[in-house]
Amino acid sequence: VVKINVDAAIEEGKLGLGVIVKDEDGFVLGGYGYVKDMTFNSEWAEMMAIEEGVSLAKSLNLYNNLIQL
């Protein structure tokens, strides 16, 4: 089982997003973050973060995932 932590933030027309994947021992398996010039409400930003987390897990061939916001 892995844990996927995601977060998103919005400020002045910019979207910041971060994703980190850890195994059950807390070892980091992967992660990334980025900032884009976009305007979203907080709900859409969090949904984008979840989508990015699932995408990263898929790219790492991980299938049993817990997503924490």
Side-chain angles (χ1 to χ4, degrees):
V1 175
V2 298
K3 184 175 182 179
I4 304 168
N5 292 96
V6 300
D7 196 19
I10 303 167
E11 185 176 337
E12 298 179 13
K14 294 189 185 290
L15 167 70
L17 190 139
V19 179
I20 190 164
V21 179
K22 298 179 185 178
D23 69 10
E24 60 193 24
D25 296 320
F27 182 77
V28 176
L29 302 173
Y32 62 89
Y34 62 79
V35 176
K36 289 187 178 182
D37 290 325
M38 303 175 121
T39 303
F40 288 99
N41 65 31
S42 60
E43 290 86 9
W44 278 105
E46 291 291 339
M47 283 187 51
M48 286 182 67
I50 292 169
E51 182 178 53
E52 291 290 331
V54 171
S55 179
L56 177 59
K58 184 178 176 183
S59 73
L60 294 171
N61 293 319
L62 305 171
Y63 298 98
N64 297 322
N65 304 306
L66 299 174
I67 298 175
Q68 179 180 345
L69 299 175

